Amino acid sequence: MAQTPRRLRSSTVVLGGMGVLAATLSACGSDPDRRCVDRDSYDYINGYKIVADQNCKSSGTSSSGKKRGVSQRVDADWYYDADVSGGYADNGTFSRSEAVDRGGFGCSGSGSGGG
């Protein structure tokens, strides 16, 4: 006795397609990985020194802090999609839009052209 293949209802197909679309859009809309770094601390071998996130809270402008009674100025900014190692971040970008364009499933932006 041969069985006929089960047909999916159109509503099931539509809902499945909506799930794929939602996953694609959420991948593009998510924030890239970011670290707050001191822009003046670049080291050729290590990269930028990571500082406390509170230094980057005010839209990437310079802020000052106190450490052992000495005022220290930090030129802090968000550094996106960086390789992080030992308190340093390297090979990233200070441009959030560039970081979003670099990654994510189905996002517009640069892709591997293979050439």
Side-chain angles (χ1 to χ4, degrees):
M1 181 174 213
Q3 291 183 347
T4 59
R6 184 174 164 199
R7 298 189 81 191
L8 295 175
R9 293 184 179 175
S10 61
S11 60
T12 305
V13 174
V14 169
L15 289 176
M18 294 295 282
V20 170
L21 179 63
T24 302
L25 292 176
S26 67
C28 287
S30 64
D31 284 334
D33 182 44
R34 67 183 186 181
R35 299 285 191 264
C36 184
V37 300
D38 181 0
R39 292 181 74 113
D40 295 332
S41 69
Y42 186 76
D43 177 64
Y44 181 74
I45 295 172
N46 297 314
Y48 293 97
K49 181 159 182 55
I50 298 173
V51 296
D53 285 357
Q54 67 191 17
N55 292 310
C56 289
K57 294 293 185 199
S58 56
S59 69
T61 57
S62 298
S63 62
S64 60
K66 289 243 179 196
K67 186 174 184 179
R68 296 186 189 167
V70 178
S71 179
Q72 106 187 42
R73 188 131 177 107
V74 177
D75 183 16
D77 201 356
W78 291 114
Y79 194 55
Y80 298 95
D81 286 343
D83 298 329
V84 178
S85 176
Y88 286 87
D90 200 11
N91 299 322
T93 178
F94 285 105
S95 169
R96 183 186 180 280
S97 61
E98 185 180 315
V100 170
D101 284 345
R102 279 203 257 185
F105 174 73
C107 297
S108 63
S110 64
S112 151

